Amino acid sequence: MPHHRSYTFIKENRKLIKLNFNDILFIKGLGNYMEIIVKGNKRYIYYKTMKDLIDKLPDEFMRVHNSNIVNLSNVEYIEDNHLIIEDHKIVIARSYKECLLSSVDKLLL
C-alpha cells in the first residue's frame, strides 16, 4: 500500500501529536511500547507493537534490528554493522543487514 501522506498523528496521554515522517530519526521497541525519537532529540512513547507500526510506516522506514526501525532518509552513514543518525549509533542486526543493503543499493547513484 503506497504512502503519500507526509505526516501522522500519535496519541500521547490525552494529546494527539502531529509527527512529520521526515522528522522521525528512529523508533526503538521496548516490549509493548515504542519510543519514537524525532529531530531535536524529542522522544515520544507510543503504545503499539513493532509489527503494527512497520506495516503503517512509509517505505523509507526500515527495520535494522529486532528492536529498531530507522528512517533511511535521516541516516548519515552506514558502516560495518551500525549506522549513524544525528548523534545516535544504531546497531544493524545480521539478520536484517542484507535487506537493508539491498534497499540502499537501489538508492545508489
Side-chain angles (χ1 to χ4, degrees):
M1 193 177 123
H3 288 270
H4 301 296
R5 284 181 311 141
S6 59
Y7 61 90
T8 186
F9 283 88
I10 63 163
K11 218 179 196 141
E12 196 183 54
N13 301 322
R14 292 166 60 190
K15 283 191 208 133
L16 280 164
I17 299 164
K18 182 185 171 199
L19 284 185
N20 290 311
F21 287 127
N22 287 345
D23 289 343
I24 298 174
L25 300 178
F26 65 99
I27 300 167
K28 198 192 289 181
L30 301 158
N32 60 346
Y33 67 93
M34 318 290 296
E35 191 177 30
I36 301 174
I37 294 88
V38 299
K39 287 178 181 168
N41 256 326
K42 278 205 192 87
R43 288 159 189 265
Y44 298 101
I45 297 297
Y46 196 42
Y47 291 91
K48 273 273 197 283
T49 65
M50 199 65 129
K51 179 85 189 76
D52 287 343
L53 214 54
I54 197 80
D55 292 340
K56 293 190 172 150
L57 287 165
D59 291 347
E60 59 271 22
F61 286 84
M62 286 216 64
R63 198 155 172 182
V64 294
H65 193 277
N66 276 339
S67 54
N68 283 324
I69 296 171
V70 302
N71 182 350
L72 278 184
S73 54
N74 285 323
V75 169
E76 283 171 43
Y77 64 86
I78 299 169
E79 185 179 25
D80 301 327
N81 43 357
H82 61 267
L83 51 81
I84 302 297
I85 298 182
E86 285 191 0
D87 49 0
H88 304 278
K89 185 174 181 176
I90 295 163
V91 173
I92 302 164
R94 192 175 289 134
S95 51
Y96 292 100
K97 192 167 183 182
E98 211 168 295
C99 187
L100 173 70
L101 292 178
S102 75
S103 296
V104 170
D105 251 5
K106 294 180 191 127
L107 302 171
L108 292 178
L109 289 177

